[in-house]
Amino acid sequence: MSTTTEHYNLLKLVILVMEYGTKVLKEKVKSELSKGYKTFQDLVKASRHDLIHLHELKRCCACTSYPTARHSAISYKQLALLLDNDRGQACTRPNNDRDQLCTCGFKEKMNISENDMDITLLSCFLLNIIKQDDTVRKLIKNLRDKRNNLFHLISAKVPMEEFETKFQDIAHIINEIAKGFDTELFVTFRSQMIDLESSACSPQQLHCAMELVRRFKMSKINNAFISNEAVTRTVIH
């Protein structure tokens, strides 16, 4: 990927969202642990049923009512980052519903922490598992939307004026989420983002950003290929 100024601007935006956006959401999860949980693993254990239904849409053996979600919020691969599933575990809550899903084999992973989650899973966790006030929920959703919109600019150049606007918008969201942290941590976040905007990125940061861009472009190609294959099969049949 060429590192013209416009491409360099794009990489800086990727770093801002994926590095600092992820950091601030991890700190947000950590701040919630002080409200009744000793470890992140304890929080996952207490939220096991809700986590399962972020992916599974069917009623399970622990459900007292039918789930209302129509779409999975996370993939099974993401769920597996948090929970192990012993498929050989016998159901301890059988009933007469043949279509029910047995979740007795799901158990929180040992020694798991918020550091094991990416920005997608972190935002989903904060929006669906940990109760947030409306202001914080809106900020997290905005950060997620900025990330999504940014990756749809992958093939585009980002002129300096547009870069400055986008950078300030994203940095503002991150700063607002970080306002609830202790003063030192908040100042650290803010100063690091100021440095990112005005200074050169480290080789490691650039490498990670370029790798994220490459992976996203490949996923778009694969998804387009799958869609075209589906259309072709439909036309043929």
Side-chain angles (χ1 to χ4, degrees):
M1 184 176 190
S2 172
T3 51
T4 62
T5 299
E6 290 83 0
H7 285 145
Y8 196 71
N9 288 342
L10 174 62
L11 294 176
K12 277 196 171 186
L13 292 173
V14 171
I15 292 167
L16 178 63
V17 171
M18 301 304 289
E19 182 175 338
Y20 293 97
T22 299
K23 281 182 179 180
V24 78
L25 294 185
K26 285 180 180 179
E27 290 297 332
K28 187 63 180 173
V29 171
K30 285 173 65 176
S31 71
E32 297 294 331
L33 296 181
S34 61
K35 300 178 181 179
Y37 302 97
K38 291 183 179 180
T39 66
F40 180 72
Q41 185 178 335
D42 292 334
L43 175 57
V44 171
K45 181 178 181 179
S47 310
R48 184 174 68 99
H49 184 252
D50 290 335
L51 285 168
I52 291 169
H53 283 292
L54 289 181
H55 172 70
E56 297 289 354
L57 304 180
K58 293 173 61 176
R59 185 184 184 191
C60 80
C61 57
C63 286
T64 56
S65 61
Y66 283 91
T68 57
R70 295 186 177 183
H71 304 284
S72 297
I74 61 174
S75 66
Y76 186 83
K77 184 177 180 180
Q78 289 172 313
L79 179 64
L81 291 174
L82 302 171
L83 300 172
D84 287 321
N85 185 13
D86 180 2
R87 298 180 185 275
Q89 171 72 44
C91 187
T92 60
R93 298 180 291 263
N95 60 35
N96 295 325
D97 187 348
R98 292 183 178 181
D99 294 327
Q100 80 167 11
L101 171 75
C102 176
T103 57
C104 295
F106 282 97
K107 186 177 181 181
E108 69 282 358
K109 284 185 175 292
M110 298 296 292
N111 302 318
I112 191 172
S113 80
E114 64 280 353
N115 293 322
D116 296 308
M117 296 194 288
D118 62 13
I119 191 170
T120 302
L121 195 50
L122 284 163
S123 59
C124 188
F125 198 92
L126 286 164
L127 291 171
N128 294 281
I129 302 300
I130 302 175
K131 291 183 178 179
Q132 306 290 331
D133 63 44
D134 290 342
T135 300
V136 175
R137 286 181 62 83
K138 184 176 180 180
L139 288 168
I140 294 170
K141 287 180 179 180
N142 285 344
L143 180 60
R144 183 186 60 188
D145 291 343
K146 293 290 185 184
R147 188 279 312 269
N148 293 342
N149 293 337
L150 175 61
F151 276 96
H152 287 290
L153 292 174
I154 290 305
S155 61
K157 296 179 180 180
V158 182
M160 185 57 68
E161 184 176 350
E162 182 182 352
F163 164 75
E164 291 173 351
T165 300
K166 289 183 180 298
F167 194 100
Q168 290 301 319
D169 286 347
I170 297 169
H172 174 73
I173 294 171
I174 293 173
N175 277 326
E176 287 297 305
I177 296 174
K179 272 187 176 179
F181 303 160
D182 65 72
T183 303
E184 183 178 354
L185 185 58
F186 174 74
V187 171
T188 299
F189 268 112
R190 187 170 58 182
S191 63
Q192 287 177 345
M193 289 189 292
I194 291 172
D195 288 343
L196 174 64
E197 183 178 16
S198 58
S199 306
C201 302
S202 70
Q204 182 180 5
Q205 285 178 316
L206 287 175
H207 174 76
C208 290
M210 286 190 284
E211 178 62 17
L212 285 168
V213 169
R214 185 192 68 80
R215 284 162 53 188
F216 181 80
K217 290 174 73 173
M218 288 304 300
S219 70
K220 286 186 71 176
I221 292 171
N222 290 338
N223 289 339
F225 177 77
I226 292 170
S227 297
N228 288 336
E229 284 285 290
V231 170
T232 302
R233 286 196 297 270
T234 301
V235 171
I236 291 175
H237 292 293

